[in-house]
């Protein structure tokens, strides 16, 4: 594994090594001359049961520097009830800060929460964090409310011909109420729109393999340009090679912010220089 392929700077591979009683889960550290470290040993007791033994704690775990994410627990103090049943539910009575901790369920079963000044989505069965919905830069100092959004125009009038109201139905099996997640302050209201599949977490970090394939295609395009276009150097060929794809608008693989400058968060100040 070459340098630059991971965000944390490590160069490691995982190895499953079979034994007469089961198998071992190992780590190969390519930055340390390929040293093999045993992380866990799995031993089979019979055909249906196995025992896992961890060899040691994570040696690279820097406890004070790691980003810690709160995970909801059923009926814990941070659960806000009512969002799945009430037409209007004010989830955060006070402006959101880094200390705000709250989570709730929507009528569709999706689980959202506030932690570390961010809005996250959690798995509705395990309550494990799935991903970022809104970042701190567009959520801090605001409040969250859930309201019913299935208005009168969504009601189907069976006495009239046509498919009136069909646009309000997600799936044949979806009998939950339609709701809107709102983030607001005195300056305005932001609607947190779900993805096409109904989830809310922002799939900003694109698949690493897909990004590597894109770069290989672009490299092939540069070689094509050098052979068939009137260019003199590889650098000139790169300047004339572009990519188009959808629905993404960037090849960036890092998710740091969900805000859009000038729309859902304040635009950066422009530095204007004059002679």
């Amino acid at each position: 594994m070459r340098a630059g392929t991971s965000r944390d700077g490590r160069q490691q591979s995982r190895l499953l090594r079979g034994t007469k009683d089961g198998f071992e889960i190992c780590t190969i550290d390519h930055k340390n001359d390929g040293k093999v470290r045993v992380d866990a040993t799995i031993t089979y007791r019979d055909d249906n049961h196995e025992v896992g033994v961890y060899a040691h704690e994570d040696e690279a775990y820097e406890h004070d520097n790691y980003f810690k994410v709160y995970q909801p627990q059923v009926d814990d103090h941070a659960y806000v009830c009512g969002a799945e049943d009430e037409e209007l539910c004010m989830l955060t009575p006070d402006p959101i800060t880094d200390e705000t901790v709250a989570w709730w369920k929507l009528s569709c079963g999706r689980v959202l929460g506030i932690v570390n000044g961010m809005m996250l989505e959690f798995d509705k069965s395990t309550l494990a964090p799935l991903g970022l919905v809104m970042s701190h830069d567009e959520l801090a100092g605001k409040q969250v409310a859930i309201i019913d959004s299935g208005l009168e125009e969504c009601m189907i009038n069976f006495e009239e011909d046509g498919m009136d109201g069909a646009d309000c139905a997600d799936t044949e099996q979806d009998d939950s109420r339609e709701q809107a997640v709102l983030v607001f302050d005195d300056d305005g209201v932001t609607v947190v729109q779900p993805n096409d599949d109904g989830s809310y977490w922002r799939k900003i970090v694109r698949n690493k393999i897909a990004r590597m394939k894109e770069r290989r295609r672009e490299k092939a395009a540069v070689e094509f340009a050098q052979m068939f276009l009137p260019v003199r150097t590889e650098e000139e060929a790169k300047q004339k090679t572009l990519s188009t794809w959808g629905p993404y608008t960037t090849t960036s693989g890092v998710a740091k912010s969900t805000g859009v400058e000038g729309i859902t968060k304040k635009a950066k100040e422009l530095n204007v220089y004059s002679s």
Side-chain angles (χ1 to χ4, degrees):
M1 176 183 288
R2 64 173 179 83
T5 57
S6 63
R7 296 189 186 95
D8 58 12
R10 303 177 190 174
Q11 294 173 235
Q12 299 176 343
S13 299
R14 298 292 175 261
L15 171 66
L16 291 181
R17 185 164 57 189
T19 67
K20 64 182 182 66
D21 298 317
F23 62 92
E24 296 174 336
I25 302 175
C26 308
T27 294
I28 302 176
D29 190 349
H30 299 284
K31 295 181 67 175
N32 191 14
D33 298 324
K35 180 181 178 181
V36 178
R37 183 186 74 201
V38 178
D39 296 317
T41 300
I42 310 300
T43 302
Y44 295 115
R45 301 172 64 180
D46 51 46
D47 292 340
N48 299 313
H49 300 86
E50 67 276 343
V51 176
V53 178
Y54 292 98
H56 57 75
E57 294 185 357
D58 188 348
E59 295 178 350
Y61 182 28
E62 300 176 1
H63 293 262
D64 294 333
N65 295 330
Y66 266 44
F67 177 75
K68 300 177 178 63
V69 176
Y70 160 82
Q71 180 171 342
Q73 303 292 329
V74 176
D75 297 328
D76 69 8
H77 69 284
Y79 176 67
V80 181
C81 61
E84 64 267 50
D85 301 317
E86 300 175 4
E87 294 184 5
L88 169 61
C89 182
M90 301 292 290
L91 295 170
T92 53
D94 300 313
I96 294 171
T97 68
D98 290 345
E99 307 302 322
T100 302
V101 178
W103 66 280
W104 61 93
K105 292 182 179 180
L106 300 175
S107 63
C108 61
R110 302 279 179 182
V111 179
L112 301 178
I114 304 295
V115 59
N116 294 338
M118 302 177 294
M119 183 184 297
L120 305 179
E121 181 171 2
F122 300 88
D123 183 84
K124 55 187 176 183
S125 58
T126 66
L127 297 180
L130 294 175
L132 178 68
V133 178
M134 291 186 73
S135 56
H136 179 277
D137 55 353
E138 61 175 340
L139 193 61
K142 299 181 180 179
Q143 297 173 258
V144 178
I146 308 295
I147 64 171
D148 276 3
S149 57
L151 306 179
E152 291 183 0
E153 55 263 30
C154 287
M155 300 299 293
I156 299 177
N157 186 350
F158 293 99
E159 297 180 357
E160 297 182 5
D161 296 332
M163 294 295 292
D164 297 335
D167 58 318
C168 301
D170 292 329
T171 65
E172 294 180 359
Q173 293 79 21
D174 185 8
D175 57 357
S176 60
R177 302 189 340 271
E178 183 178 285
Q179 294 178 302
V181 181
L182 307 181
V183 175
F184 67 96
D185 59 10
D186 292 340
D187 294 329
V189 180
T190 299
V191 181
V192 182
Q193 300 284 10
N195 302 310
D196 291 343
D197 62 0
S199 65
Y200 281 85
W201 65 282
R202 305 312 181 195
K203 301 170 177 62
I204 306 172
V205 178
R206 302 178 57 248
N207 183 275
K208 182 184 295 184
I209 295 178
R211 299 199 309 270
M212 293 174 61
K213 289 181 178 179
E214 286 179 355
R215 284 194 286 268
R216 289 199 295 268
R217 295 187 191 104
E218 290 171 351
K219 182 179 179 180
V222 169
E223 295 176 355
F224 175 88
Q226 288 180 277
M227 289 188 293
F228 295 101
L229 271 60
V231 296
R232 297 182 179 180
T233 64
E234 181 181 356
E235 186 62 30
E236 187 178 357
K238 289 180 179 180
Q239 294 176 359
K240 291 182 177 293
T241 302
L242 303 174
S243 287
T244 178
W245 62 88
Y248 304 101
T249 59
T250 175
T251 58
S252 172
V254 180
K256 293 183 178 179
S257 174
T258 59
V260 179
E261 293 177 8
I263 301 178
T264 60
K265 68 176 184 179
K266 293 182 179 180
K268 293 182 179 178
E269 294 183 0
L270 298 178
N271 294 319
V272 180
Y273 298 92
S274 59
S275 56

